[in-house]
Amino acid sequence: MPHQSAVTVLATVPPDRVDDVREVLNEANRQGAGEVFRFAEVAGVHFARLVLVPQGPDSTGTLLPPSVVYMSEVDVPPSVHLADLVRRAGDELDKVFAYCDGYPAGGASEGERVAWLRSHRVPCAAFYVNTVGRGRQQMLNEARLREAIEDFLDRHRAELSASSPTRIRAAVQEYVTGREDLAWARSRPASPALRWRIRQAAHLLGVPLGGLVLLPFLVIGLPVWAVLLRWRERRDVPSRERPDRDHVRELASYEDFAAQNPFTAVGAVKPGRFRRGTLTAILFVVDYGVRHFFKRGNLAGVKTIHFARWLFIDGKRRVIFASNYDGSLESYMDDFIDKVAWGLNAVFSNGLGYPRTRWLVLDGAKDELAFKHYLRSHQLPTQVWYSAYDTLTTHNLRTNARVRAGLFGTLSPAETEAWLALL
Amino acid sequence: MVATLDLDDMQGLITRGYSTLRWASFLMLSITDPAGARAALGQLTPRVTSGRAEPSDTAVNLAFTADGMRLLGLETPGPEGFPEEFVSGMTDPDRSRFLGDTGENAPRYWRWGGPATPPVHAVALLYARDEPGLGRLEAEVRQVALATGSLAEVVRLGTAELTEREPFGFRDGISQPLIEGLPKATAAGAGSAAGGEVVKAGEFVLGYPNEYGLLTDRPLLPPPHDTAGLLPRVPGGTGADLGHNGSYLVFRQLRQDVEAFWGYLDEATRRPDGSGDPDARDALAARMVGRWPGGAPLVHAPLRDDPALATDNDFGYFATDRDGLRCPLGAHVRRANPRDSLDPRPGSAESVAIGRRHRLLRRGRAYADGGPGGGTERGLHFLCLNANISRQFEFIQHTWLNNPNFNGLYDSPDPLVAPRRNHRSTFTEQAEPLRTRRLDLPQFVSVRGGAYFFLPGLRALRFLCTATGEGGQR
């Protein structure tokens, strides 16, 4: 049984070839990302995207090169995924990466391409998974199960609605049992592999132990850090930039086709080692938090995010944030402001131009429009995007899982009623 | 702190819906000659009703589309200007997709405001106590506005005499936010039932703090503009505040297929022997709406209409009806105003506070027009005011009404007003032990026209009519 992985492949594009790559991505968008890259056939893909990170300045004004980035959330190890992807859509990947330095196109073997892609992988600084261990196949199966049960209830509503909850559930059980194709529903979903769970447990304990060792340094260091932080916060200049109209229109042209949307943004880290160090530490804490605590459908109050990742690029001078979320960007940003502004502030206030914060977590995103302008300005068009379940929200997926979990096994009368209320 | 509202500078539609002026019409205008239009509008300006006193006989309000503002000589003034959704307008293709204005709702089929009809640059909103009074007002306004030919009438949208019911037969306009700082809101007071409806003025009027305690973006003009000093200055700056006391008016003509609605309900509730069941029909209608035709909310009157609760607005969903057993989770009123059912802590004051950032001042009027072929088209001229179109109107439209996954549902856009598009549209009545699903719901409401307008403050209106031109005015 899987645990989900984040795959990121990033390759620099020669500036004079950016338009060519953009055209390749736009063409894939026109034909449909799923059709072109056959993501449905690639094992365990939840979401996938290709974006162009434009040439842009770091905090000192030095231009950083443009790059093309492939990102996906998958149920298999990243190297297995890349090999599978090359097998299914090698020719299409060739078009995307053709202009990148050293890409083995033109007659090269699959193995060489896979090796090149693997060598261009970028690790995540932090990776949030809505529900750890719930694989794509499980989600698709559970969606099918729920629909089958709903249809059954529709057909037999007249006779069933006079029955007790227990009898109704028994009728559903009998129906599902009689369906060969739903036989899997009789057992519980498998847990992630034991080795992986042991590693997670070691991480869960190891990090606080390491912190304990560092405690004396932290006790001395934290007050100094706080003073330095506050001093910098007062000096940092928030950007007053409003997103360019054409930019906003381009972003809008890729949004709101499905129940979910992709969000991709890039920003320069504020100058100096202090901010770089602070951001590295914060993302380390975020990673720890999402790995061990926010892994059951709720990211500090926000329940609508399927996946999110933060990663450093360009030698930690820029950061990419990418997520898949339910609903519109407006509702997503409102959720950020209303529910988890402190968390956003802790990370993004290390980014150049972010609205002014106090003590790292206060204010910042609470300046509604400044925050929304900041996000829109840093957002990148996600030209190519694929979702394996584009009509299902996190809420739906959770309901589906609960329908399956409560279908067989022993339930009390109250639990039986609650289970029926899911349908 | 409660902001003091400058009622003399606000247009009256912000502070009241003119419920005593039961007749109304809306003249959509096109500017053919900007200089002449400024002069004509300038003559009309003294007739424009302010928010101070309740008008006794007639009221006139004026609003402009982004194109209208441009034609009046106001190029979008750089970054400090109008928000993108106003500038690109309601019919921008990506916005149409966002709002559900596709398929039969697409702007190309609209009666007005779409690409197939003459451009709309301004709207004159006219209200009168009786029908003859409205006729006289219209004649007077047309005389002033249209005489020189610099403004043309694109379409006149008439309304039916104002009643409490919308065309499907339901009491409408029961839940309405109260603007903090207005006497009504002060009287309602904090803590009382109506106190929960009090919303910061900045959610509806530009220039006042909103529910975040901040000023919403508004059009500010840099120094070369307004040398005459007609507009208020930005505090601490040199710019002139064109937005002050203004608002955004969302206008949508919504056709309501009354026969299809009740016909569907009749069919859906027939007894096994094929005979009609009026009680079941009305109950299903009420569950789709979330209130009975008389107005009583299902949360308090789950089984039958109750005249005593006709204007009852003192309820939430979380404590009494979390599972939708009284008022279905997908019912219209539960979407348009989810009250205390919003994440992250449903049932809390925080949940209600989040909801307050998504409220609208509704100012709609029903209409009944003789359509082609002698049939009567009925519907609603949906008008609403807000300070941030994307956080208020568009959010409600997309995230709540049209959202097929609202409240954790599947394939379930608003049963009453949402377009069906390619979704399978389902309406579920939650019940114990077993829910009832209504599959493949037809569409009952379609869009026939629409535009986003800016409803300026009165000083801004005078500025627009007199000061922006470089000459060529009288």
Side-chain angles (χ1 to χ4, degrees):
Chain A
M1 180 59 205
H3 64 271
Q4 302 94 328
S5 305
V7 179
T8 308
V9 174
L10 179 144
T12 305
V13 177
D16 59 336
R17 290 300 194 174
V18 168
D19 287 340
D20 297 302
V21 178
R22 182 176 295 118
E23 190 39 49
V24 171
L25 300 189
N26 285 342
E27 182 56 30
N29 173 271
R30 279 191 286 273
Q31 293 180 27
E35 282 70 43
V36 172
F37 295 95
R38 296 163 65 193
F39 287 121
E41 298 164 42
V42 180
V45 180
H46 292 253
F47 296 93
R49 76 184 75 186
L50 278 157
V51 292
L52 261 172
V53 175
Q55 189 171 44
D58 71 0
S59 56
T60 63
T62 310
L63 269 191
L64 299 169
S67 46
V68 60
V69 187
Y70 169 76
M71 290 185 254
S72 58
E73 287 83 6
V74 296
D75 292 330
V76 298
S79 51
V80 174
H81 169 68
L82 291 175
D84 198 2
L85 186 65
V86 167
R87 202 155 44 240
R88 312 266 176 196
D91 293 349
E92 300 301 325
L93 291 178
D94 284 356
K95 291 184 200 162
V96 173
F97 293 109
Y99 307 108
C100 300
D101 193 32
Y103 183 77
S109 70
E110 278 182 11
E112 285 172 275
R113 291 171 183 164
V114 174
W116 186 90
L117 291 172
R118 287 172 63 175
S119 71
H120 285 77
R121 280 188 55 204
V122 179
C124 288
F127 176 46
Y128 168 74
V129 177
N130 181 278
T131 304
V132 170
R134 191 191 292 156
R136 177 180 81 170
Q137 196 53 49
Q138 181 189 340
M139 291 175 174
L140 298 178
N141 282 345
E142 286 170 352
R144 214 154 44 80
L145 173 68
R146 180 197 148 269
E147 279 172 22
I149 295 175
E150 298 277 18
D151 289 344
F152 171 77
L153 293 176
D154 285 342
R155 287 199 304 276
H156 300 276
R157 208 188 67 80
E159 64 258 36
L160 288 176
S161 50
S163 311
S164 71
T166 310
R167 275 174 184 264
I168 297 173
R169 180 163 168 264
V172 173
Q173 286 171 339
E174 192 186 336
Y175 169 69
V176 172
T177 307
R179 290 257 313 243
E180 196 72 18
D181 59 326
L182 300 177
W184 52 267
R186 309 208 53 179
S187 52
R188 287 158 49 90
S191 307
L194 182 65
R195 239 180 68 193
W196 181 81
R197 280 184 289 158
I198 291 173
R199 250 193 8 240
Q200 288 294 95
H203 188 267
L204 174 66
L205 295 175
V207 168
L209 283 179
L212 218 55
V213 174
L214 291 174
L215 193 62
F217 301 100
L218 290 176
V219 168
I220 300 166
L222 270 178
V224 179
W225 172 82
V227 169
L228 284 174
L229 172 77
R230 195 68 196 106
W231 180 70
R232 276 163 203 272
E233 283 182 331
R234 287 162 181 275
R235 258 187 6 161
D236 288 342
V237 184
S239 163
R240 299 205 49 204
E241 184 190 357
R242 308 251 180 140
D244 176 68
R245 278 197 66 197
D246 292 336
H247 178 63
V248 172
R249 293 171 73 99
E250 188 187 1
L251 293 171
S253 72
Y254 295 111
E255 287 174 352
D256 306 307
F257 288 90
Q260 312 111 9
N261 270 313
F263 182 80
T264 317
V266 67
V269 181
K270 282 175 179 168
R273 266 183 292 182
F274 178 83
R275 283 296 188 177
R276 202 158 62 224
T278 299
L279 182 55
T280 306
I282 295 286
L283 286 178
F284 182 82
V285 174
V286 169
D287 183 57
Y288 186 78
V290 298
R291 258 205 221 193
H292 302 298
F293 304 110
F294 300 118
K295 56 177 188 175
R296 290 274 177 270
N298 189 339
L299 180 54
V302 179
K303 299 176 181 169
T304 51
I305 301 174
H306 294 255
F307 295 97
R309 70 178 77 184
W310 295 258
L311 46 103
F312 287 104
I313 61 170
D314 302 316
K316 287 203 173 181
R317 286 186 287 174
R318 286 200 287 184
V319 171
I320 290 178
F321 173 72
S323 65
N324 299 285
Y325 62 94
D326 295 328
S328 72
L329 186 72
E330 180 71 23
S331 68
Y332 189 48
M333 294 192 293
D334 286 346
D335 274 354
F336 279 161
I337 298 168
D338 294 339
K339 295 167 191 170
V340 68
W342 59 272
L344 270 285
N345 291 346
V347 175
F348 288 92
S349 69
N350 298 293
L352 200 64
Y354 190 79
R356 192 179 299 283
T357 50
R358 272 185 306 130
W359 303 111
L360 196 65
V361 294
L362 300 176
D363 298 345
K366 292 283 181 190
D367 190 346
E368 181 208 356
L369 289 172
F371 174 73
K372 288 177 178 174
H373 294 326
Y374 176 85
L375 281 195
R376 270 296 198 197
S377 298
H378 288 79
Q379 193 186 349
L380 301 176
T382 305
Q383 282 113 331
V384 174
W385 181 66
Y386 167 80
S387 164
Y389 33 83
D390 66 2
T391 60
L392 296 172
T393 63
T394 57
H395 194 140
N396 293 152
L397 293 166
R398 184 177 143 78
T399 304
N400 294 350
R402 291 172 66 200
V403 167
R404 184 253 187 101
L407 175 55
F408 293 100
T410 316
L411 295 186
S412 70
E415 286 168 337
T416 306
E417 280 174 35
W419 181 80
L420 265 185
L422 296 171
L423 294 162
Chain B
M1 202 193 75
V2 179
T4 308
L5 306 179
D6 185 357
L7 300 179
D8 292 313
D9 193 43
M10 279 176 209
Q11 295 204 44
L13 195 63
I14 293 176
T15 59
R16 51 181 64 85
Y18 305 130
S19 57
T20 58
L21 306 180
R22 310 187 78 81
W23 291 85
S25 67
F26 309 119
L27 305 183
M28 296 292 161
L29 304 172
S30 196
I31 295 172
T32 50
D33 161 33
R38 273 194 300 273
L41 291 166
Q43 284 193 328
L44 200 55
T45 300
R47 287 290 282 118
V48 171
T49 311
S50 86
R52 176 62 68 186
E54 174 141 23
S56 54
D57 292 310
T58 60
V60 176
N61 287 130
L62 278 178
F64 303 91
T65 61
D67 284 340
M69 298 294 283
R70 273 193 288 273
L71 281 170
L72 288 178
L74 199 84
E75 280 305 320
T76 308
E80 301 280 312
F82 290 104
E84 170 60 24
E85 60 273 19
F86 174 69
V87 174
S88 56
M90 194 185 277
T91 57
D92 171 83
D94 292 316
R95 178 149 295 103
S96 290
R97 182 176 71 249
F98 188 80
L99 295 175
D101 295 344
T102 54
E104 65 177 284
N105 279 359
R108 67 174 179 279
Y109 303 122
W110 288 1
R111 237 185 108 197
W112 61 274
T117 53
V120 170
H121 299 134
V123 59
L125 310 153
L126 312 180
Y127 301 85
R129 182 168 290 280
D130 49 34
E131 202 169 12
L134 183 65
R136 286 193 297 275
L137 180 64
E138 269 178 36
E140 181 193 343
V141 168
R142 282 181 170 136
Q143 173 61 31
V144 175
L146 307 179
T148 62
S150 43
L151 285 165
E153 190 173 302
V154 175
V155 63
R156 171 197 181 272
L157 302 175
T159 67
E161 183 179 6
L162 182 64
T163 67
E164 284 162 346
R165 308 260 177 147
E166 53 70 55
F168 287 142
F170 289 79
R171 181 187 280 263
D172 196 15
I174 301 166
S175 177
Q176 188 85 287
L178 300 170
I179 303 177
E180 189 185 79
L182 286 184
K184 245 197 228 174
T186 313
S192 74
E197 295 283 279
V198 177
V199 176
K200 294 277 184 211
E203 290 293 310
F204 309 108
V205 199
L206 299 174
Y208 300 90
N210 61 20
E211 282 288 330
Y212 285 110
L214 302 166
L215 297 180
T216 303
D217 280 358
R218 59 208 191 284
L220 306 176
L221 306 179
H225 287 274
D226 190 31
T227 43
L230 287 172
L231 297 173
R233 299 292 123 173
V234 179
T238 51
D241 191 344
L242 184 70
H244 199 68
N245 289 319
S247 183
Y248 293 100
L249 170 70
V250 177
F251 197 134
R252 284 163 78 77
Q253 179 176 355
L254 305 176
R255 184 175 79 96
Q256 296 176 250
D257 196 336
V258 178
E259 288 72 31
F261 178 67
W262 289 105
Y264 169 81
L265 293 165
D266 269 329
E267 286 304 316
T269 54
R270 272 191 204 290
R271 297 193 185 89
D273 65 8
S275 62
D277 184 346
D279 288 344
R281 178 196 63 194
D282 292 356
L284 177 57
R287 283 198 285 274
M288 284 186 177
V289 174
R291 288 184 184 268
W292 292 92
L298 265 68
V299 168
H300 284 163
L303 299 179
R304 61 193 66 81
D305 204 347
D306 181 351
L309 299 174
T311 57
D312 179 14
N313 201 30
D314 181 15
F315 61 93
Y317 295 109
F318 187 74
T320 37
D321 194 28
R322 195 180 319 182
D323 298 322
L325 297 174
R326 290 159 172 245
C327 177
L329 295 175
H332 174 69
V333 301
R334 222 171 156 139
R335 295 167 179 269
N337 182 5
R339 296 169 188 255
D340 64 343
S341 52
L342 296 170
D343 274 341
R345 268 174 288 285
S348 68
E350 186 191 354
S351 176
V352 178
I354 289 174
R356 273 202 298 272
R357 292 163 194 154
H358 309 285
R359 298 300 303 273
L360 300 170
L361 280 178
R362 290 178 294 152
R363 295 290 186 247
R365 297 258 172 156
Y367 70 88
D369 285 348
T376 299
E377 177 181 318
R378 283 187 279 178
L380 183 71
H381 291 306
F382 173 87
L383 284 80
C384 74
L385 295 166
N386 53 185
N388 184 334
I389 298 173
S390 62
R391 173 156 62 77
Q392 295 170 275
F393 168 71
E394 290 187 351
F395 180 99
I396 293 169
Q397 178 85 3
H398 181 271
T399 304
W400 291 347
L401 294 180
N402 289 356
N403 181 359
N405 307 101
F406 178 79
N407 252 342
L409 299 166
Y410 300 75
D411 301 322
S412 301
D414 188 297
L416 195 68
V417 303
R420 305 305 181 213
R421 288 189 272 183
N422 50 356
H423 296 294
R424 295 183 300 165
S425 291
T426 302
F427 176 62
T428 304
E429 298 164 72
Q430 286 78 26
E432 282 175 333
L434 202 56
R435 87 288 179 283
T436 304
R437 291 206 305 173
R438 313 276 176 185
L439 303 174
D440 301 317
L441 235 53
Q443 181 166 329
F444 305 121
V445 172
S446 47
V447 187
R448 303 279 283 129
Y452 291 148
F453 294 92
F454 174 59
L455 182 91
L458 291 175
R459 274 178 291 184
L461 185 58
R462 284 191 283 273
F463 168 81
L464 285 169
C465 297
T466 59
T468 53
E470 304 300 333
Q473 306 176 35
R474 283 183 293 178

